[in-house]
Amino acid sequence: MEIRPILASLRKHRIPAVLIVLEIALACAVLCNAVFMIGQRMADIHWSNAIDEQGISVVTVNGADPKLAASEIPRNLAALRGIAGVTAAAAATSMPLDQNPALSPFVTKPYATTTVNSSVYFIGGDGEKAMGLRLLQGRWFNADEYAGSGFKNFGSTGHVALVTQSDANRLWPGQSALGKTLYTDATGWTVVGVVADVLAEDPKLSGPGGMYSSVFFPLQPDGVMGDYMLRSVPQDRERVVREAVQVLGKLQPGAVVEGTTYAGMRSDYFADANSMVWMLVLVCVVMLAVTAFGIVGLTSFWVQQRRRQIGIRRAVGATRGHILSYFRTENFLLSTAGVLTGMALAFGINLYLMTHYEMSRMPWYYLPGSAIALWLLGQLAVLGPALRAAAVPPVVATRSV
Amino acid sequence: MFAYYLDLAVRSLKRNKVLTALMVLAIAVGIGASMTTLTVMHLLSGDPLPGRSGTLFYPQVDADPTNDYSHAEPLDVMDYRSAVDLWSAHRADRQTLVVDSKLKVHAPEVNLPPLMEMMLSTTSDFFPMFDVPFQYGSGWSADDDAKHARVAVISADLNNKLFGGTNSVGHTLRLRDTDVRIVGVLKPWRPSPQFYMVAGGRFANGQTDDFYTKPEDVFTPFTSGLEINDGNFWQFTCWHMPDTPGHLQNAPCVWIRLWVELGGAAKVADYRSFLAGYAAQQKALGRITHADNTRLRSLMQWLDFNHVVPSDVHLQTWLAFAFLAICLFNTVGLLLAKFLRRSGEIGVRRALGASRRAVFAQCLVEAGLIGLLGGIGGWLLTLTGLWLVRRQPSAYADLAHLDAPMFFATFVLAIMVSLLAGALPALRASRIAPALQLKTL
């Protein structure tokens, strides 16, 4: 296809041509960044979490008398284990992603400092089963450790802890974490086991690289434990929550009892990210539609304006294919100019967002990716008007000169 | 002439319905998207106390004696000792302490299960200082603060929940294990943001939705609240582990906010030097080390410092305006096509004696009409957009309503956008050479 006549004709329609280019450029820039943001948020929403997320239900009891905890918690657990379908039950202080952070810095030497805030989880007997933790090295807490560990000054009075694999690698790179001592200020705990990565209670507060910084301690029945974790098969969980709330509501009439599935807790945490993703998707779709309609509108106008010229070309021997490819090539040239400007713009916007909104650098392949998307969009949009142009009969040339 | 142009515009718009619909739709979605985000932005970045915010200040002292970090800024909130010292000095026109905690609330006279609610423990000045509106009763007195009185003010929400919206003043509320007498019920009160609790925004990475939560449901005198819910107060941060979690009166922790009202620049300057003097005195006593690290920001400065508007909202606003720009380019192109398609008609008008200015005006009227139609569409889309925002889980969702200024802004923006879009095509149309067009007719 000869492109010189196309360029010559575009030079005569400078303003509409520039408008299409600008529209495509802006759409390309916004598309790149929006898709990148969608991708990042989707990655967040799919963070892995090595507990039995689908099988856990959590019932929270607030406002019970902490002095009675030692007798009430075992009684409550016994009643909860009686619910049909519950395979394990245990008390705990908090859950991953419950947005109720109990954070503490853990280091490998007394009084050392760190920028990572680890999430602290105190779990009662059977906690590892109820939560569905996965042991990678070492052992679980034994019954004596569960029975003999208390809670004081936000710390465990016991002597053992479980760490996640991420923390084991971060704190003791290249070594086994088993048997090492974990410190906060001067207090130390021996690491007896390493579990697969469990998310923090609120990862955004964990500090850089602390998303999977979670430390588990055993705890005897204690008033700080407000969560009851129940494990069942996923199909039973809704019923388990309902029954557990009833059971605990009867046993603790003075307290506030609330239940949720862990899946619900997780989706609460990501609700904002989720709605942002939908909003971005909506914007992208509508934006592409508007751009496409703009191209359709302007090309239709051009086609109509050039009916006579098209007729003449047809009369002197151009085929329908020639006419079709004329308009498609024209659109391709405009799109190319648009996406080239757009890619530069997208890169600039990304740099701006990086400095102002904690955004990370956009991987390069987003640029050609959205360029191709807009090329395709342009070709699709131009197809209708171009087919109409190709349908102009040669006889038009003979009319009203 | 305007009426005639309007008539022409209507005829022209009717002639090519698809093109007209495309243009109106493009403007409508552009306006809808940008006005939705702009309304949210407007609601979140506004002044929570118009007219009063200039006299409210947030003092800060750096009570952390350690040198673990640079101390470029003092800690966001205060320790018990500094806060109570500064409050009891009564050196401002008004001053109030605030601290929140969660506790079990039960109305013994009402047969409803207990609730977990947030309680704000504060001092009597809180209500007049922040213009808090009352439905029934009133706040408590300074005397009640001093006497650790067992009284409470409750929110309209809680009053509806527990007492069906009736006047509950004089009724009893059981807060954890303590009975308090209700002395006041607030009218629905929804400051945006919940400015008196804002702190720590610089550590939030732009995720500041929580600053827009509803005010607490129970308000008690500071002294009484600390006793009623002892053991359940959470620190903002600590430089050593506290000995007794939840009871922070003597702990190395910051957890209390102090607000002062200062009418006039002289008073602000006085208070600033009083604050510096207090810090110096505490340094002399050996309690704090970073005595020169004090701040006295005004309410709006403090909100700015905390970047209260969530960064997602900023991003959405940018996105919406980029989107509006795309719609604008689109409309310019389509209008250009529309006007130039009528070159013959315009040529005849010009040949019959219409001036360029008249043709320009005619085209702009047509563009303005499209803008008006787009504005109506945009307004409907904005309402839909805000409805969608209200269904979101964010803390500010319930705030998203279109107020009168934003309603008018919708139409002003729509018409401005369409006139802007129409200017260039109208100019081109008015430059059409009549002779050339007449020849082709």
Side-chain angles (χ1 to χ4, degrees), chain A residues 12 15-16 19 22-23 26-27 30 34 37 41 62-64 66 103-105 113 151-154 184-185 204-205 253-256 258 271-272 275-276 279-280 282-283 286-287 290-291 293-295 297-298 300-301 304-305 352-353 357-359, chain B residues 19 22 25-26 29 37 68 102 104-105 114-116 176 203-207 209-210 234-235 240-246 311-312 314-316 318-319 322-323 325-327 329-330 332-334 336-338 340-341 388 392-395 424 428:
Chain A
K12 289 206 106 181
I15 295 172
L19 283 172
L22 279 179
E23 200 176 330
L26 212 52
V30 172
M37 280 187 243
R41 270 158 224 256
N62 270 309
L103 304 172
S104 199
T113 56
F151 176 88
K152 195 162 182 270
N153 300 356
F154 293 108
T184 289
D185 289 350
K204 67 170 178 278
L205 301 178
V256 183
E258 287 160 323
D272 275 343
S275 70
M276 183 79 173
M279 186 253 168
L280 288 170
L282 189 74
V283 165
V286 180
M287 182 185 71
V290 166
T291 311
F293 283 130
I295 294 172
L298 265 188
S300 304
F301 167 62
Q304 205 190 15
Q305 223 183 13
Y352 175 82
L353 293 179
Y357 296 107
E358 316 262 338
M359 191 81 103
Chain B
L19 201 61
L22 271 184
L25 207 66
V29 290
T37 56
D68 292 348
K102 201 171 187 180
K104 186 169 68 176
V105 176
L115 305 162
M116 288 306 286
R176 212 172 161 207
F203 309 113
N205 283 338
Q207 298 179 347
D209 289 23
D210 292 349
W234 295 106
Q235 62 272 20
H240 292 303
M241 280 291 170
D243 295 333
T244 43
S311 59
D312 272 3
H314 278 285
L315 278 178
Q316 286 166 357
W318 280 113
L319 201 63
F323 185 53
I326 291 174
C327 294
F329 289 140
N330 197 346
V332 176
L334 295 177
L336 199 63
K338 199 162 173 52
L340 293 186
R341 197 176 280 187
L388 282 174
Q392 300 306 310
S394 22
L424 183 77
R428 286 292 299 262

Side-chain angles (χ1 to χ4, degrees), chain A residues 242-273:
Chain A
R242 237 180 5 253
E243 290 183 19
V245 169
Q246 276 170 6
V247 166
L248 289 184
K250 273 196 204 107
L251 288 172
Q252 306 248 247
V256 183
V257 179
E258 287 160 323
T260 172
T261 60
Y262 187 75
M265 198 180 253
R266 183 180 171 118
S267 68
D268 275 355
Y269 184 83
F270 291 112
D272 275 343

Side-chain angles (χ1 to χ4, degrees), chain B residues 396-416:
Chain B
Y396 55 78
D398 64 301
L399 288 166
H401 288 277
L402 195 68
D403 53 4
M406 295 315 273
F407 172 78
F408 290 114
T410 309
F411 287 92
V412 172
L413 187 66
I415 292 176
M416 265 174 44

Side-chain angles (χ1 to χ4, degrees), chain A residues 68-125:
Chain A
L68 302 176
S71 65
E72 280 179 354
I73 291 178
R75 178 201 65 188
N76 292 350
L77 284 171
L80 292 172
R81 288 192 188 108
I83 296 173
V86 172
T87 53
T93 50
S94 42
M95 297 297 294
L97 303 181
D98 68 359
Q99 304 188 59
N100 211 350
L103 304 172
S104 199
F106 287 105
V107 284
T108 53
K109 290 187 187 69
Y111 295 111
T113 56
T114 173
T115 55
V116 174
N117 290 313
S118 307
S119 289
V120 184
Y121 296 92
F122 290 90
I123 54 176

Side-chain angles (χ1 to χ4, degrees), chain B residues 18 31 60 64 81 114 224 250 285 295 355 359 365:
Chain B
V18 179
I31 295 291
Q60 286 170 275
D64 178 358
R81 174 89 180 272
S224 327
N250 295 309
L285 291 173
R295 298 285 185 284
S355 65
V359 172
V365 169

